Amino acid sequence: MSTGGATLNVRGLGKSFRGLRAVHDVGFDVPAGAIHALIGPNGAGKTTTFNMIAGVFPPSAGTVQLDGRTITGLRPDRVCDAGIGRTFQIVKPFPGLSVLDNVLIGALKREPDVSRARDRALTVLRELGLHDKRAMTASNLTLPDRKRLEVARALATQPRLLLLDEVMAGLRPTETDQMVAFLRELNARTGLTILLIEHVMRAVMALSQHIVVLNYGEKIAEGSPEAIARDQRVLDVYLGQDAH
Amino acid sequence: MRLWHRLTGDMTTRGQVALAMFAALLLAAPAFIGSYPLSILILVVYFAYIGQAWNVMMGFAGQLSLGHALYLGLGGYTAAALAFHFGVSPWIGMIAGVLVAMLAGGIVGFLGFRFSLAGVYFALLTIAFAEFTRILFDHFKWVGGSAGLFLKVSGDPGLWHLRGGPVMFYYVILAMAALALVACRLMLTSRLGYHWLAIREDPEAAQASGVDVFRGKMIAVLISSGMAAVGGVWAAFYYKNLFPETAFAMGRSIEVILAPIIGGLGTLIGPFIGAAVLVSLGDVFTIAAEKIGEIFGVKTAGLKQIFYGLALLAIVAFRRDGVWPWLARKLGFVHSDPYLPPPAGKGR
Amino acid sequence: MLTDIVQATIMGLLTGMVYGLMALGLSVIFGVMRVVNFAHGEMMVVGMYLAWLLFERAGIDPLLAVPLVAAALFAAGYGLQRGLINPFINVAEHMQFMLLLALSIIIVNLCLLIAGPDTHGVQVDYMFDSYALGPFTFDAVRVYAALAAMAIAFLLYLFFTRTRIGKSIRAAADNHTGALVVGLDVPRLYALTFGVGAACVGAAGALMILVVQAQPFLAIDYTLLAFVIVIVGGLGSMPGALAGGLLIGVSESLAGLLIQPSLKSVFSFGLLILVLLLRPQGLFTRRG
């Protein structure tokens, strides 16, 4: 079942909206099987970067490669084909469908047979602790459960790179710890590459081996969690942010 | 066993028995009802069928079409014109009609979806195409223009020429509706069906889950327009006349969508229930309006439609999800937990 | 020939002003509430019938009846929104459509029940008057209707730029969520908006009775016409609705002259398709 992890290479990525520069010359690598984090203050361009990787809109400049294959500007479903699963910062469940059907739709990506895809979806639901809630309509889930559902649906597509956009936001500390433990175990077991955007620093520090910091659309620092925690530019950004 | 499960899905045994009894009743109906009730029943099944066609696009894939008269009209006109001019059997004409309607649906869909029109804007596009075609057909002399196209009443009777009495037309439309029901059920439980539901619920999330949204929408509009065209052919031969003013009318597009919405959008039985509710209400209101006219000695043109509008208002206000989902639960026809996996070990 | 074309263009512009007023109502309602009023043509026809009734029973000239008709439709629109439409503001579009469809069925058939299927027109003293300007002649009724529509549009402009309520309606139309955030009394604002929209179309109906005879089944045509105009002008844009009205008025008039009167709507719907595909934000508004 495990398909392992893929390498992500981002080079010179840039995006302007109506002349407004949202992201400029952002580049980083995520080696296969690694967990990296993308952090920065609000409006730093993290989600825009994610959206360009995931194909929501094409970048104005730069390239994205997955395992050496250029996927720049592909449609989101093609990016998913290529092996990238993603979650949305503002969760987007299929609200009128059951939890199981939500995940089943993801599973159908690599398993065209519906009943086998259903089995696969049930397995993922079990892993994320949503199995008991499989018959619930997604719109009736609590926010933490919706976040889990978001991860479950992305995982069901059997990605080799998982993009997680603030899946810990709004979770209680114990729930955050559960999610961290799950992701770490998943990464260790399958070798899945993970890139996460996260504000919950506890989770970032606990999970990621490497951190990329964005501010005003540009990369201002990258390095190990320890190095980032000591980096003066990063501290300025965050302290400056706090001072407002 | 597995196919059976796919077909029955979330229905309880009670629901399955009810459905079987209902089907038997429909099959036997012509033997013991008079010609007037039969004509009513024919209308019910016809509206259920065309409602099912529309349901594929809106109920399954979430694309609001308010111009389905276009496909009904094109299907009907194509088959009728071929029969009128060349004596082609409606069944052959149906193939041509379906192709023409699918071409039209493909154009509407391709343009609408390529240019990312959604919701109201897409609905207006479908209206615009239907109206555009209506006016063109007013001037299309080969099919009679605004004076209409009339099919020969005399000639060889029989199924091959779709010439015959109400009983024949009843069984034809019943077979079409039954086929559509089974086909829709199979589609809905297939990968395609789940892709449609994903597109309906959230196109962006669907795409991120690897669903080719454009392709899914296109397949929906093609199937829906083709199915509608079949209904249009049936209607053309049942009524034996076609006018652009009615064949492509906005009012016809509205008739198409009423049954599935009232019955329960996206449900398979909904169009049948909705059609039954609508047609019988219409009938009751006709009688009521006549009686009121007699008692008070007044003209009652429009009164029936006012009742109808009020009933529609009540249904929309109080049964927003449609009658069937509520009724099915009340009668215990579906499982409370409809998403249980199929029984393990069977048919695998 | 050129004279004919100029003449037809001016006639189209005159009718187009009334169209613009009609479409303005639809645009205001959509802009603020994001509800497409599928009963818009029906309201237009109600305006026509009311003006006809006032003329027949009380001898009130339709031009003078405009404020009365507008007031009546304002009240009806306000009440409808408060009582019936408000719970449907945030439901799926097809359910809104069903609601307004039910309303439109009721309205049209009430007209039919009360006034019968025959057409009704008003015979004002100046019915056959016309003004000559060089080689051109203009029907007095059309000129008056257009002037009145312009005057009403100007009053609306004042309402939307000078009054507090008008400004908040416009703010809500420009920035839908913004208005919700700044905490305006939204249900009241919506009811007022629907009232103003209904008043616009009612006034347009009262003016239209000078030119066109009232008949229940005109309603659907007016509804479709209003859609075409607001899409062409930009759904939710008020100046766009007026400009779209003029454009459609002229195109109908010219198509009637140059091709065939019965084909005139082909151009309207053709234009609608093109605008939907190529400039869904409308011809007269900036993107975004």
Side-chain angles (χ1 to χ4, degrees), chain B residues 173-209:
Chain B
I173 192 72
L174 188 63
M176 278 158 50
L179 270 176
L181 180 68
V182 171
C184 282
R185 177 76 206 174
L186 289 178
M187 286 192 287
L188 207 50
T189 51
S190 73
R191 189 176 190 227
L192 176 65
Y194 282 104
H195 282 180
W196 281 341
L197 296 180
I199 293 167
R200 180 187 78 187
E201 294 290 317
D202 190 324
E204 209 183 329
Q207 210 168 22
S209 309

Side-chain angles (χ1 to χ4, degrees), chain B residues 58 115 119 135 139 305 320, chain C residues 91 93 109 260 262 266 277:
Chain B
M58 176 65 197
F115 288 85
I135 302 162
H139 299 267
Q305 283 82 359
R320 206 173 275 184
Chain C
V91 306
E93 280 146 354
N109 288 288
Q260 256 194 62
S262 58
V266 161
L277 295 178

